[in-house]
Amino acid sequence: MQTWSLVSICVLLGVVVRWGVSLNSYSGAGKHPMFGDYEAQRHWQEVTYNLPLQEWYFDTTDNDLNYWGLDYPPLTAYHSWICAYIAKIINPEWVELHQSRGYESPAHKLFMRSTVLVSDVLIYIPAVVLYCFYLTEGSSKKKVSTVLCFLLYPGLILIDYGHFQYNGVSLGFALWGVLALGLGWDAFGSLAFCLALNYKQMELYHALPFFCYLLGKCIKVGLMGRGLFLLVRIAATVLVTFALCWLPFLSDPSQALQVIRRIFPVARGLFEDKVANTWCSLNTLIKIRSVLSADSQLYLSLVLTVLAVLPSSIRLLTKPTFWHFKLALVNSSLAFFLFSYQVHEKSILLAALPVCLLLNDLPLVVIWFLQVSTFSMLPLFLKDGLLAPYVVTSVAFLVFSTYLLSALDHCSEDELKLGAYNKLFFCLPKMDLAWIVRWKFYISIAVMAGLSIASVVLVPPPHLPDLFPVLVSSTAFLHFLGTFLYFNIVQFSGPPSRKSQKKNN
């Protein structure tokens, strides 16, 4: 009873922090003519409520796709319609066709923030609590601490409640999928992940690990017996779930094709803003978009992404344990973020979720990565007027997580899974890798703090107006690339311990 009381306090604290961030400004407030992501979400409610479903994804006189046209899968559109239905009851002006464009009021802001919070309370937060209690090891106190740190991750809070999006819905569904697979409910896990994929197409970052884990499990059980039955059941679950989500669009092939064109806009180019991935960082040295054609950029991105994601996926296919599944989720999402086409800075949240799954196993590495992932979105937060929430949530998360999870006390070479590095670099003198990692963590935090202050206080030279965003993205990129290499080595070095291996299997 005492444990669940502490969990309730953690959840309440997570809700309070989310609501506190939501009291600040939001993306595009008062900025004509496009406003921002807040207006995009409101506009989708306007469109889905007032127009027939057949026009949601098409360019018409009532639906200008150049003004925040729908570009997410059907489940996002259905969610917008539900929110719009409630908004219409409260105040019809919020979703009035054409007339509500750029609508801003304290009451509407309260309503929109509430829709995000309700979505989190219904989908994301319960999945976090259940995962931490059923699929992590340690005492009840440690599990409660893990729940709190998971819920206080600043990146997701700032994007969903400050910048304003509903990433908690798709990530929540994906987490339900992970939870179900960890408990052995493969069909339910497949259903939950299909819902995530039908809410936001970026969940493709996690698709290959789900596929390889389930297929590897079927092969391990035996494709001539129970494995075949399991494979058929999973396939049927996936097909039925997709069919139900897309049912209104399947009667006319042109409808389904238009939705696909909208959710995969390859015409936008290799990258847009200062993203902490390979292409944006490399572009500071070589102007890729001037050297390569659009098609060449697309093919190069595809090849490198596949090559980056294959090793961990093949490893998972041959070793379908839950431990390898979690690591493959991290490696796949980081591979997509680093090398894939048209990556947004907010896409790092797709890597942050699977990294959070390892809070209990590798606390220092996870806390470090989550701090960097939040830091990588600093230019976006400054643009949205979220400096104060960024500082408060980042510092609070760093202090609470390192203290509650004793991260700096559990960073021996064995606990950090660094044994494989000594084998990999056997020709070099043996070094105290744990000491090196600890000091790299301290230096990294200092560099991020310094760049954060410089981005706010200093004025860049006139000939280098994007100096600080480029420094932020390049610094974060080096961290992400190092993390990607680290987790790939860990995945090939074996499970954390015999006890954990027994539980994960």
Side-chain angles (χ1 to χ4, degrees):
M1 183 63 70
Q2 184 181 5
T3 299
W4 287 106
S5 298
L6 291 173
V7 171
S8 301
I9 294 172
C10 291
V11 171
L12 181 61
L13 183 58
V15 169
V16 169
V17 171
R18 283 163 165 76
W19 194 252
V21 169
S22 73
L23 297 177
N24 287 268
S25 61
Y26 50 82
S27 171
K31 296 178 181 177
H32 295 266
M34 294 297 289
F35 302 96
D37 277 25
Y38 176 92
E39 167 63 10
Q41 302 292 341
R42 188 217 58 79
H43 180 64
W44 294 344
Q45 295 176 18
E46 171 196 343
V47 167
T48 53
Y49 186 85
N50 291 287
L51 301 181
L53 181 142
Q54 290 74 21
E55 296 183 20
W56 287 359
Y57 291 90
F58 281 89
D59 196 12
T60 67
T61 54
D62 290 326
N63 185 24
D64 181 7
L65 293 184
N66 291 320
Y67 183 79
W68 298 121
L70 261 169
D71 54 4
Y72 285 115
L75 217 56
T76 291
Y78 304 149
H79 182 208
S80 295
W81 181 86
I82 293 171
C83 292
Y85 187 84
I86 299 170
K88 182 74 174 181
I89 295 173
I90 300 172
N91 187 342
E93 290 183 1
W94 294 350
V95 289
E96 186 176 353
L97 189 63
H98 301 310
Q99 302 303 315
S100 59
R101 181 170 294 193
Y103 189 96
E104 295 178 356
S105 74
H108 185 251
K109 183 180 177 182
L110 178 64
F111 166 75
M112 293 290 280
R113 299 306 192 197
S114 300
T115 61
V116 182
L117 186 60
V118 169
S119 300
D120 272 4
V121 169
L122 292 178
I123 300 172
Y124 181 75
I125 293 177
V128 170
V129 173
L130 292 176
Y131 171 82
C132 292
F133 267 83
Y134 287 99
L135 294 178
T136 61
E137 293 182 354
S139 63
S140 297
K141 180 182 177 182
K142 187 176 182 181
K143 292 180 179 181
V144 171
S145 299
T146 306
V147 169
L148 180 60
C149 296
F150 208 131
L151 293 178
L152 290 182
Y153 167 52
L156 181 59
I157 296 173
L158 291 167
I159 289 297
D160 274 16
Y161 292 85
H163 184 75
F164 199 86
Q165 290 198 349
Y166 294 92
N167 291 290
V169 177
S170 57
L171 295 178
F173 280 135
L175 187 52
W176 277 107
V178 171
L179 175 66
L181 295 190
L183 296 174
W185 304 341
D186 298 325
F188 180 74
S190 303
L191 184 151
F193 182 68
C194 287
L195 293 178
L197 199 53
N198 278 287
Y199 192 87
K200 286 200 174 183
Q201 66 271 29
M202 289 83 74
E203 279 297 328
L204 284 169
Y205 282 35
H206 303 144
L208 201 54
F210 270 87
F211 173 79
C212 291
Y213 177 72
L214 291 169
L215 180 60
K217 190 173 181 180
C218 293
I219 294 172
K220 188 176 181 180
V221 174
L223 284 179
M224 299 304 292
R226 287 194 307 122
L228 179 61
F229 174 74
L230 178 61
L231 184 62
V232 170
R233 188 173 62 176
I234 292 170
T237 301
V238 171
L239 290 173
V240 170
T241 305
F242 266 85
L244 290 175
C245 289
W246 286 70
L247 188 60
F249 302 94
L250 295 179
S251 58
D252 183 0
S254 64
Q255 288 279 335
L257 287 174
Q258 176 65 6
V259 177
I260 293 172
R261 279 192 290 266
R262 289 296 301 165
I263 64 180
F264 295 110
V266 294
R268 290 185 181 178
L270 187 60
F271 62 89
E272 290 183 60
D273 294 326
K274 302 298 183 292
V275 184
N277 74 344
T278 302
W279 308 121
C280 189
S281 300
L282 187 61
N283 194 66
T284 60
L285 303 174
I286 305 171
K287 301 305 177 185
I288 304 171
R289 289 180 290 193
S290 301
V291 175
L292 299 176
S293 65
D295 287 343
S296 299
Q297 294 170 33
L298 180 61
Y299 296 140
L300 178 63
S301 172
L302 176 63
V303 169
L304 287 182
T305 303
V306 171
L307 290 176
V309 80
L310 269 182
S312 62
S313 299
I314 293 172
R315 175 68 169 175
L316 178 61
L317 194 62
T318 57
K319 294 278 187 180
T321 66
F322 191 61
W323 168 249
H324 286 97
F325 173 56
K326 292 191 293 184
L327 290 170
L329 284 171
V330 175
N331 291 325
S332 175
S333 53
L334 276 173
F336 271 88
F337 181 84
L338 290 170
F339 301 107
S340 65
Y341 195 85
Q342 189 52 223
V343 173
H344 198 283
E345 60 261 54
K346 292 172 287 189
S347 300
I348 195 60
L349 297 179
L350 292 154
L353 176 73
V355 170
C356 283
L357 301 178
L358 300 167
L359 263 169
N360 207 44
D361 304 296
L362 301 163
L364 180 63
V365 176
V366 170
I367 292 166
W368 190 357
F369 176 87
L370 296 179
Q371 284 292 125
V372 177
S373 68
T374 305
F375 166 75
S376 72
M377 296 182 281
L378 176 61
L380 182 64
F381 298 145
L382 295 179
K383 189 187 300 181
D384 291 340
L386 295 170
L387 175 62
Y390 162 75
V391 172
V392 172
T393 55
S394 296
V395 172
F397 175 77
L398 180 63
V399 172
F400 274 108
S401 56
T402 51
Y403 171 73
L404 291 174
L405 299 177
S406 304
L408 294 172
D409 297 328
H410 296 288
C411 53
S412 66
E413 188 172 303
D414 181 57
E415 288 169 317
L416 291 173
K417 312 293 178 280
L418 296 174
Y421 282 80
N422 283 324
K423 296 178 182 178
L424 191 63
F425 303 107
F426 62 91
C427 56
L428 297 176
K430 186 172 176 59
M431 298 175 288
D432 187 349
L433 295 177
W435 181 86
I436 293 173
V437 168
R438 191 182 295 111
W439 273 102
K440 284 176 68 177
F441 171 73
Y442 294 143
I443 294 170
S444 171
I445 295 298
V447 169
M448 288 189 286
L451 279 175
S452 298
I453 294 170
S455 298
V456 176
V457 175
L458 301 181
V459 178
H463 63 287
L464 295 172
D466 294 328
L467 175 63
F468 294 118
V470 168
L471 287 175
V472 168
S473 64
S474 300
T475 302
F477 162 71
L478 294 175
H479 282 82
F480 295 152
L481 184 61
T483 305
F484 174 67
L485 296 174
Y486 167 79
F487 277 114
N488 269 277
I489 292 173
V490 170
Q491 185 167 2
F492 279 86
S493 64
S497 66
R498 184 168 296 182
K499 181 181 178 182
S500 297
Q501 173 73 357
K502 182 178 179 182
K503 179 173 181 176
N504 289 334
N505 279 326

